[in-house]
Amino acid sequence: MTPLDYEYLRKLLKERSGLDLSADKQYLVESRLIPLARRIGLPGISELVQKMKAGSAETLTADVVEAMTTNETFFFRDKIPFDHLREAMVPALLQARAGRRALRIWCAASSTGQEPYSIAMCLREFGAALSGWRIEILATDLSQGVLEKSKSGLFSQFEVQRGLPIQLLVKYFAQVGELWQLNADIRAMVQHRQLNLLQDFGHLGTFDVIFCRNVLIYFDQDTKTGIFERLAKMVEPDGFMVLGAAESVVGISDAFKPHQDRRGLYRPNATRTVKPGLAAATPQPAKAVAMASR
Ligand SMILES: C[S@@+](CC[C@H](N)C(=O)[O-])C[C@H]1O[C@@H](n2cnc3c(N)ncnc32)[C@H](O)[C@@H]1O
């Protein structure tokens, strides 16, 4: 890969997925894209870039963007967010939504499904307290490939051994050959939709809880600021947002304020004054990211 190839890919990935690669990440690009190039019969990355530049390879560009996403996830990842859900968010919402008896939760970079299904199992464990409630869990991701796997509800032995308590495995999964499949009623609690966070997502409506974990970490500061501004419009005023262990709003946006006792948990900031001309709040036009969001 030449320095020019690398610059082309860096720019493309930033525009299409928000991925902010520093100047020294050639090894990462090579490790992810050489297998893709070989799979389609090309000798290397330079030829892949040539084919993309030729302009007739929309699918190829989407495949490149997808190959560069990091999909690492596991059940009940980091444990603490699910303690927050069980101990703080659901109890508060049980009271606040007692009239409506409905909850909307958005898992904004859901990867292969372990996160939204952990949320679903957590809610199901509330038993009678939530019975009869309309529960909607929306799982979205840039990558169509991970969404297809998530929809299947099928997980390997290795995947169910990462973070999933054995009681929940026994209770909610059935063995299918060498794999484990989530019960249909837990799967039915989660709807899937392809969505690029760089694009407008206002049409999704508002949510009581947004999980947006371990994705913004790959974006630059302006992109994060813009996404926080737009996420703040999607959370109910008494709702919650959850970030990953290495993520924070501090120094990036005052659209949310950290929960005083619970790390990684945020609430919309009702008291802030929005600065005029907050350009970063404007999403990229759909056209610019259209290929990545098929
Ligand atoms: C590391 S996984 C995190 C999964 C899960 N939230 C967790 O914490 O376990 C990051 C996910 O973000 C998705 N992603 C990357 N860029 C995105 C974008 N611009 N819009 C939506 N999803 C994106 C990737 O496809 C990947 O599945």
Side-chain angles (χ1 to χ4, degrees):
M1 174 172 57
T2 67
L4 278 178
D5 293 336
Y6 185 59
E7 272 320 300
Y8 174 84
L9 288 167
R10 263 178 79 180
K11 189 163 174 287
L12 175 115
L13 291 163
K14 179 89 185 294
E15 281 173 9
R16 299 294 167 92
S17 71
L19 179 62
D20 186 30
L21 288 173
S22 53
D24 59 350
K25 288 283 193 299
Q26 285 91 339
Y27 71 93
L28 183 68
V29 171
E30 282 171 355
S31 69
R32 303 260 175 102
L33 296 189
I34 288 175
L36 172 64
R38 300 265 157 86
R39 239 185 356 262
I40 57 172
L42 297 172
I45 294 183
S46 290
E47 291 76 10
L48 194 67
V49 168
Q50 286 315 314
K51 200 167 162 82
M52 282 191 285
K53 282 184 178 167
S56 59
E58 302 259 312
T59 317
L60 179 60
T61 302
D63 289 346
V64 164
V65 170
E66 197 155 327
M68 287 304 301
T69 58
T70 299
N71 306 124
E72 164 72 358
T73 187
F74 49 94
F75 286 105
F76 295 95
R77 182 175 189 176
D78 301 334
K79 184 179 172 296
I80 290 172
F82 302 94
D83 293 342
H84 295 339
L85 184 66
R86 216 176 284 117
E87 296 163 8
M89 293 186 258
V90 174
L93 292 165
L94 271 171
Q95 287 199 348
R97 304 286 180 271
R100 210 193 290 170
R101 289 167 71 82
L103 284 183
R104 290 195 86 214
I105 300 179
W106 177 22
C107 192
S110 55
S111 190
T112 42
Q114 285 89 332
E115 186 174 63
Y117 289 134
S118 298
I119 296 169
M121 286 184 275
C122 220
L123 296 182
R124 187 47 60 92
E125 288 294 294
F126 272 83
L130 280 172
S131 127
W133 283 53
R134 192 156 43 81
I135 310 264
E136 194 186 329
I137 301 169
L138 179 65
T140 65
D141 201 283
L142 168 76
S143 156
Q144 194 62 48
V146 295
L147 289 171
E148 291 308 322
K149 172 167 164 57
S150 180
K151 275 185 215 168
S152 77
L154 285 164
F155 297 94
S156 68
Q157 183 71 35
F158 175 70
E159 287 165 332
V160 297
Q161 276 170 347
R162 293 183 78 198
L164 183 68
I166 184 81
Q167 318 85 275
L168 298 186
L169 176 66
V170 171
K171 192 166 172 184
Y172 295 119
F173 288 75
Q175 203 153 12
V176 180
E178 293 190 346
L179 301 174
W180 292 87
Q181 186 166 41
L182 259 166
N183 293 347
D185 65 328
I186 298 289
R187 276 186 279 143
M189 291 172 73
V190 178
Q191 281 96 52
H192 294 85
R193 197 188 276 201
Q194 199 276 340
L195 186 128
N196 186 338
L197 287 168
L198 300 187
Q199 283 187 300
D200 182 27
F201 42 68
H203 58 282
L204 297 179
T206 55
F207 294 87
D208 302 301
V209 179
I210 297 179
F211 276 68
C212 186
R213 300 173 63 223
N214 303 304
V215 59
L216 300 183
I217 197 169
Y218 300 107
F219 300 168
D220 70 12
Q221 179 131 345
D222 284 351
T223 308
K224 287 183 207 178
T225 304
I227 291 176
F228 283 135
E229 290 298 321
R230 294 189 291 123
L231 286 176
K233 297 187 184 129
M234 311 289 292
V235 190
E236 294 286 348
D238 59 351
F240 300 89
M241 177 183 72
V242 190
L243 294 181
E247 295 161 332
S248 169
V249 300
V250 177
I252 298 174
S253 169
D254 62 359
F256 290 92
K257 52 179 192 301
H259 190 285
Q260 54 189 22
D261 320 304
R262 292 185 174 269
R263 193 160 49 83
L265 186 60
Y266 297 84
R267 311 213 67 168
N269 186 0
T271 57
R272 75 181 185 137
T273 42
V274 180
K275 297 176 200 81
L278 199 55
T282 311
Q284 287 184 22
K287 193 164 167 265
V289 285
M291 280 182 270
S293 62
R294 291 168 316 138

